[in-house]
Amino acid sequence: MSANKTLFPAVEFPAIPVRGEQGAYPVHRIFCVGRNYADHAKEMGVEVDREAPFYFLKSPLSTVTSGLTLSYPPGTANYHYEMELVVAIGRPAFRVRTTDAPSVVYGYAAGLDMTRRDLQLDARAKGRPWDLGKDFEQSAVVAEITKAEDFGPVGAQRIRLEVDGQVRQDAHLADLVWSVPEIIAHLSGFYHLVPGDLVFTGTPAGVGPVIAGNVIRGEIDGLEPVSLTIGAAE
Ligand code: MN
């Protein structure tokens, strides 16, 4: 079969700026870890699963860069922020060991896993997939990537989020239930990870709703902050 010209222009996937690089990091897939801070699992009324991490995915096309004003999304009355460390994969990885996992990390970024909490909880209660709550347009906000060698070991860094200058989330990356190498090792048993794959590593306690006019700012020590202004509903 010959390669035909596409019937309409193919979608161009988003790319994320990288500190100190001219070129941007093209997004291929977005994996998200659920319940990866014990205090957040508790506030959601569930236990951390210590047998293995679990995941949901967002479309790469849901990626947006930091610093924008985004419309309040459709279909929800409970739009939440979740501040997260985002891992950018830099090398192909399949069935990697935890000890080898750090070598496949390209870099790290501050990210927001924006969530339609009412739709997520409704789906959870009914045993349905979380897609409507998690995988929607402009739901993955990612700030500039910092290369792994410029960030250093993950652990002591503080992860914080403010809404209109008020602190809502404040924890340390050492609080992650599943560490970055453990997540990569586990995930690479199910997928052939490739450069362009992002992993949102979960959010600490303190998630909550935002409304039009709110300004979100998230920080992780050593990384470019992530920010988002909530606009009016369309
Ligand atoms: Mn999350």
Side-chain angles (χ1 to χ4, degrees), residues 32-33 56 82 84 113 115 134 202-203:
C32 305
V33 182
F56 56 89
E82 292 191 358
E84 309 204 2
D113 165 16
T115 300
K134 287 291 193 179
T203 197

Side-chain angles (χ1 to χ4, degrees), residues 77-88:
N78 197 16
Y79 182 40
H80 274 212
Y81 55 80
E82 292 191 358
M83 177 63 198
E84 309 204 2
L85 172 72
V86 179
V87 179

